Amino acid sequence: MAAEKKIKSRDLQYCKLVIDTGRTMAARSLTVATWGNISARDPKTGNIYVTPSGMDYKKAKPEDVVVFNSKGIRIQGMRKPTIEKDLHIELYQARDDIHAIIHTHGLYTIAVGVAGLGLPAVTEEFAQVFGTEVPLCKYAIPGTPDLAKNVVEGFGKDRYGVLMPSHGAVTAAADMNMALKQCDVLERAAEIFILAKQLGGEIRYIPKEDVDHMFRFHHNQYVQ
Ligand SMILES: [Zn+2]
């Protein structure tokens, strides 16, 4: 409790959000052990809150979160940050519309990336949330500047998810609720895509015109 009191209340709110999301991600089997990482950005201050490296999600506390300012300089937290901190910081710097990022190691999303594929819009929920595709970015070793660069490139100006070859996925959104929803939709779409391919029929890809309509509707109607 004493450690919590040292954190300002606005910071504490974001630290808790990051830790709670880690617990939810682990509980939903969107990762294994301590893999994956999460961050949030406070739109008011620009401060970025990232998960610590190698922490058990069940045991992590708000004071374990590491805080960076908008320029990527550490301003709070004693722990070593996730090795993917540059990926998080650089994606926020590239996109003003993103304030929550979740990196998962989900079974089915990894399988799609291992097959060398991105995910196309095969379900309506996917089309609403992600639009036409979640692309597969170029491969780079975890925690390297190249991986950060490849993921940011994959997001471009208008993507909300990217698959990383042999590794996992990154989803990003305007807030943490949406980012978590995206993780679930992405993992489900990957599972559905794999199951549908096994049936052997012709996969129905949703036409771009319909995808664009659903995407616009979702982002205008539901996103605050
Ligand atoms: Zn990872």
Side-chain angles (χ1 to χ4, degrees), residues 160-208:
Y160 292 90
V162 163
L163 300 187
M164 298 185 286
S166 310
H167 186 164
V170 179
T171 62
D175 62 47
M176 196 62 86
N177 272 341
M178 181 59 79
L180 253 180
K181 182 161 98 173
Q182 287 174 339
C183 293
D184 289 335
V185 168
L186 186 65
E187 184 67 3
R188 262 169 67 85
E191 185 175 1
I192 290 164
F193 185 52
I194 291 164
L195 288 171
K197 274 189 166 280
Q198 285 171 358
L199 290 175
E202 191 181 336
I203 300 281
R204 180 178 188 271
Y205 299 98
I206 301 173
K208 187 172 182 321

Side-chain angles (χ1 to χ4, degrees), residues 35-37 84 103-105 142 164 167:
W35 275 285
N37 34 72
E84 306 296 2
H103 163 44
T104 55
H105 283 209
M164 298 185 286
H167 186 164

Side-chain angles (χ1 to χ4, degrees), residues 105-123:
H105 283 209
L107 181 67
Y108 294 101
T109 46
I110 291 179
V112 172
V114 166
L117 301 170
L119 260 178
V122 287
T123 65

